[in-house]
Amino acid sequence: MKAVVYDHYGPPEVLRPEDVPQPEPASDELLVKVHAAAVNRLDVHSREANASNGPVISLISRLIFGVRGPRHRIVGSEYSGEVERVGAAVREFSPGDRVFGVTSLRFGANAEYVTVRERSRVGLKPVNASFEEAAGIADGFLNAIGCLRQARLRPGSSVLVYGASGSIGTAGVQLARHGGAEVTAVCRAKDFDLVRSLGASELIDYTQEDFTENGKKYDVVFDAVGKLSFTSCQRSLNPNGWYLPTDGAVNLLLIPVTRLSGDKRIGVAVGSRNPREDLAFLRQLVETGQYHPVIDRVYAMNEVVEAARYVESQQKVGNVVLRIA
């Protein structure tokens, strides 16, 4: 089968399509024929061993992904496709089922076939979503819902989403609005129409205005791109407000401090605790028109270097997808 592989850490140019053996499903696994797969920020960070985040984070990254080189040669952590075969112990899926999901640190999704455990982050694809749309929505949704649940949003809560036009950001805007919150979206002006259509009622162009300086306060500041800090956002939070990061090791050090003193808190950058249930919830939202996949660009598998460059530019809107089959 064809797959996108790499043998050493580096820029997008280390990626290449290559013929590799097709995987065989274990007794508790599905063999999925992949129709489309996302190129997301986990793929970028793992491919470069987080070199752009400094030597300490890069060392930690290598301990996770492989010290001398990548432990998993085939990249990609989000996919959609069709179940080709199932292992003897699989009960919930059958050949022909159309599925989507996240392989997480097992990677392997940028390939014509991938094996996934039945109990992993996999679910039936929304019937009204294309394979390309379904391939790009799971990871951002699971990250956003895991973060936002910590704040226990109520109808009327005020939520600011920083990086509202990205994969996690577009999910965050829609989930906050679905929960009855009033949403302020921070992104570029060119993306205002998009985030407004997703449910944002207030819009801030970060190239023209620093929201931390305008005097407004929110119940939640959701940093969907990992660019802020609790210190910079503290004065923009209401009493008992939450700063919800999706990145940034320094925030972890401040969590116990804010829990012991003060009335403003930091959440943990954590994904869904019940991913299978949440993928079923996502499917329901998409099928009932309450959640809209946002796909920026679709590339062919042999254009993976260009796709990775575009994601690395941090200019993408929503999700970037590879068409596999």
Side-chain angles (χ1 to χ4, degrees), residues 54-135:
V56 174
I57 300 300
S58 183
L59 175 59
I60 295 172
S61 180
R62 285 175 178 266
L63 293 174
I64 296 171
F65 301 129
V67 176
R68 296 184 178 180
R71 188 173 291 113
H72 301 283
R73 294 183 69 226
I74 302 176
V75 298
S77 55
E78 280 186 273
Y79 65 92
S80 69
E82 189 171 343
V83 177
E84 183 95 349
R85 282 189 284 138
V86 299
V90 172
R91 295 292 179 267
E92 296 183 24
F93 297 91
S94 303
D97 285 345
R98 296 184 171 193
V99 296
F100 74 132
V102 181
T103 62
S104 299
L105 299 184
R106 290 185 66 177
F107 297 100
N110 288 182
E112 291 180 329
Y113 291 90
V114 65
T115 55
V116 297
R117 294 191 181 98
E118 181 183 28
R119 304 305 300 174
S120 68
R121 300 179 176 194
V122 57
L124 293 175
K125 180 182 77 65
V127 295
N128 57 335
S130 68
F131 284 112
E132 287 82 5
E133 289 173 330

Side-chain angles (χ1 to χ4, degrees), residues 144-195:
I145 199 169
C147 285
L148 288 171
R149 275 188 177 138
Q150 297 172 80
R152 298 180 178 87
L153 296 181
R154 300 181 303 276
S157 295
S158 55
V159 177
L160 179 140
V161 180
Y162 189 86
S165 60
S167 175
I168 300 175
T170 53
V173 169
Q174 295 186 78
L175 282 167
R177 189 70 196 99
H178 182 265
E182 296 297 323
V183 182
T184 296
V186 182
C187 58
R188 291 167 295 172
K190 75 176 187 63
D191 300 323
F192 278 1
D193 288 344
L194 168 67
V195 294

Side-chain angles (χ1 to χ4, degrees), residues 236-314:
S236 298
L237 292 171
N238 286 323
N240 299 312
W242 284 84
Y243 167 64
L244 301 175
T246 54
D247 209 343
V250 68
N251 292 307
L252 295 175
L253 302 176
L254 293 175
I255 289 175
V257 177
T258 61
R259 297 289 166 88
L260 292 172
S261 63
D263 61 353
K264 298 173 183 179
R265 291 160 288 183
I266 303 177
V268 181
V270 64
S272 165
R273 298 183 186 276
N274 300 292
R276 286 170 58 82
E277 293 179 13
D278 286 335
L279 286 178
F281 178 46
L282 172 57
R283 178 191 180 202
Q284 175 191 346
L285 291 177
V286 173
E287 289 182 345
T288 56
Q290 299 178 77
Y291 190 96
H292 301 282
V294 179
I295 305 299
D296 187 340
R297 298 183 183 183
V298 178
Y299 293 85
M301 185 192 283
N302 61 9
E303 298 174 313
V304 64
V305 172
E306 290 84 352
R309 281 201 202 106
Y310 183 54
V311 173
E312 202 168 65
S313 73
Q314 301 183 9

